[in-house]
Amino acid sequence: MIRVPRPNMDGFTMALVATVGLATVLPVQGQLAEGVHWLAEAAIALLFFLHGARLPREEVVAGLAHWRLHLLIFSLTFVAFPLIGWAVVETLPSSLLPPAVAIGVQFLCLLPSTVQSSIAFTSMARGNVAAAVCSSTLSNISGILMTPLLVALFLKVQGSALSLDTLQTIAAQLLLPFIAGQLLRRWIGAWAARHKTMLKFTDRGSILLVVYIAFSEAVVNGLWHQVPPAALGMVVLIDCAILAVFLVGTTLLSRRLGFSRADEAVIVFCGSKKSLVSGVPMAGVLFAPATAGLVLLPVMVFHQIQLMVGAVLARRYANEGQARDALPATS
């Protein structure tokens, strides 16, 4: 009998909810907000530096040869997802969502894939972990450039076209620290591997700090007057629908193209996910402070849904694999 795990709200999601609650009751304002904003930028730079330091280049090189798989996931992430997001936003009646939240739905679809959860779920599903490491990492590195360009294509950034200064800001905050971490991996990689718990705290702490700033600004500008409960419920429904489309689509597509079961797990988990880690700092750079919190709302909701569904699906893959292994060999 296969037991399906009951999805629970994890500690990080509870911390996100608490952070939004704190920003609602006690939003940071004035000069204090400027200081916290500077601290958040430094924390995000540290986050991407540590990502670079932890990334094992050997595994990436081993997975690079699987170009058909990576090309498919790249196309899903940066072509299919943006088109689906555009179609949803264009066909959705404007009365159902506030404009900034509708922009957030499109922004969600322009983000790169996750790294940690994609790899973790692929491993749990007994999939091709080396390929998952490579594909999710390539997605995140590409997203530093692709996401702003796609935002410029599909959206208006702070009322105007995407500027070179915006790209330079994103590169300085995300790409350069990542490259620095890779260059210094020889000396600090082993230390990073030994201190995973502390680095996990740094990861999550930096995201919570940026979320607090974004939602503080949004609360000051009337966030909860602009997002009634019905609109929040609509965000949940839209996020669920988008995730369902890509989970079903990636499964059928990988089988139609003849990928192995191990590679199918990579395509499903890397091709259906969106990165909160990348989305939070990018929203802070690409959108005006007054709207960044509203834009992030669909991203935060999608984050929890993909974790809950991913955990159940990965366990199902694992159980199916164990059942096949237990079957007697046929001559």
Side-chain angles (χ1 to χ4, degrees), residues 77-79 81-83 106 109-112 143 145-157 162 274:
T77 302
F78 295 116
V79 179
F81 249 115
L83 290 175
Q106 179 71 79
C109 294
L110 306 181
L111 291 173
L145 178 63
M146 289 297 298
T147 295
L149 292 178
L150 288 169
V151 167
L153 178 63
F154 285 94
L155 303 170
K156 292 292 184 180
V157 182
L162 186 69
K274 290 297 177 178

Side-chain angles (χ1 to χ4, degrees), residues 2-314:
I2 298 176
R3 295 181 60 191
V4 177
R6 183 171 52 188
N8 295 313
M9 182 176 287
D10 66 355
F12 182 51
T13 300
M14 294 175 66
L16 279 173
V17 173
T19 300
V20 173
L22 179 62
T24 301
V25 177
L26 191 64
V28 63
Q29 304 180 58
Q31 293 184 343
L32 180 59
E34 294 180 8
V36 176
H37 189 272
W38 179 88
L39 180 62
E41 289 185 354
I44 289 296
L46 176 61
L47 168 64
F48 276 80
F49 172 79
L50 293 174
H51 275 308
R54 283 181 292 180
L55 180 64
R57 272 171 287 190
E58 298 80 5
E59 293 187 14
V60 174
V61 172
L64 275 174
H66 215 338
W67 64 269
R68 286 180 65 245
L69 181 146
H70 303 314
L71 180 60
L72 176 58
I73 293 174
F74 186 92
S75 300
L76 289 166
T77 302
F78 295 116
V79 179
F81 249 115
L83 290 175
I84 291 294
W86 175 80
V88 169
V89 172
E90 287 297 311
T91 56
L92 200 67
S94 58
S95 59
L96 292 180
L97 288 179
V101 178
I103 290 174
V105 172
Q106 179 71 79
F107 178 64
L108 162 70
C109 294
L110 306 181
L111 291 173
S113 181
T114 62
V115 176
Q116 290 96 332
S117 61
S118 293
I119 296 170
F121 287 145
T122 300
S123 176
M124 187 187 304
R126 305 173 72 183
N128 187 341
V129 175
V133 170
C134 181
S135 190
S136 59
T137 302
L138 288 174
S139 176
N140 263 251
I141 296 173
S142 301
I144 294 174
L145 178 63
M146 289 297 298
T147 295
L149 292 178
L150 288 169
V151 167
L153 178 63
F154 285 94
L155 303 170
K156 292 292 184 180
V157 182
Q158 298 181 349
S160 62
L162 186 69
S163 67
L164 182 60
D165 288 342
T166 302
L167 287 175
Q168 290 174 341
T169 300
I170 291 174
Q173 288 188 7
L174 309 182
L175 183 58
L176 291 182
F178 181 87
I179 293 174
Q182 274 285 286
L183 293 175
L184 295 175
R185 175 174 165 75
R186 176 180 175 183
W187 294 278
I188 65 174
W191 175 87
R194 291 195 305 268
H195 295 82
K196 289 182 179 180
T197 301
M198 185 185 73
L199 299 183
K200 183 178 180 181
F201 176 80
T202 303
D203 282 1
R204 299 186 171 191
S206 60
I207 296 171
L208 293 174
L209 191 58
V210 178
V211 167
Y212 176 61
I213 293 171
F215 272 83
S216 290
E217 187 71 32
V219 167
V220 171
N221 287 276
L223 166 67
W224 299 120
H225 295 292
Q226 301 177 55
V227 186
L232 184 58
M234 182 58 61
V235 169
V236 175
L237 288 176
I238 292 171
D239 281 358
C240 287
I242 292 173
L243 181 60
V245 166
F246 277 90
L247 286 174
V248 173
T250 51
T251 302
L252 296 177
L253 190 59
S254 61
R255 293 177 183 178
R256 183 69 180 268
L257 294 176
F259 285 97
S260 67
R261 182 192 165 282
D263 290 340
E264 177 188 320
V266 180
I267 295 167
V268 169
F269 291 113
C270 294
S272 65
K273 289 195 165 26
K274 290 297 177 178
S275 175
L276 179 68
V277 173
S278 297
V280 168
M282 283 188 183
V285 174
L286 293 170
F287 300 100
T291 60
L294 286 164
V295 170
L296 281 173
L297 195 58
V299 182
M300 292 175 59
V301 172
F302 192 86
H303 169 80
Q304 173 59 18
I305 296 171
Q306 72 182 5
L307 290 182
M308 293 171 64
V309 175
V312 174
L313 190 58

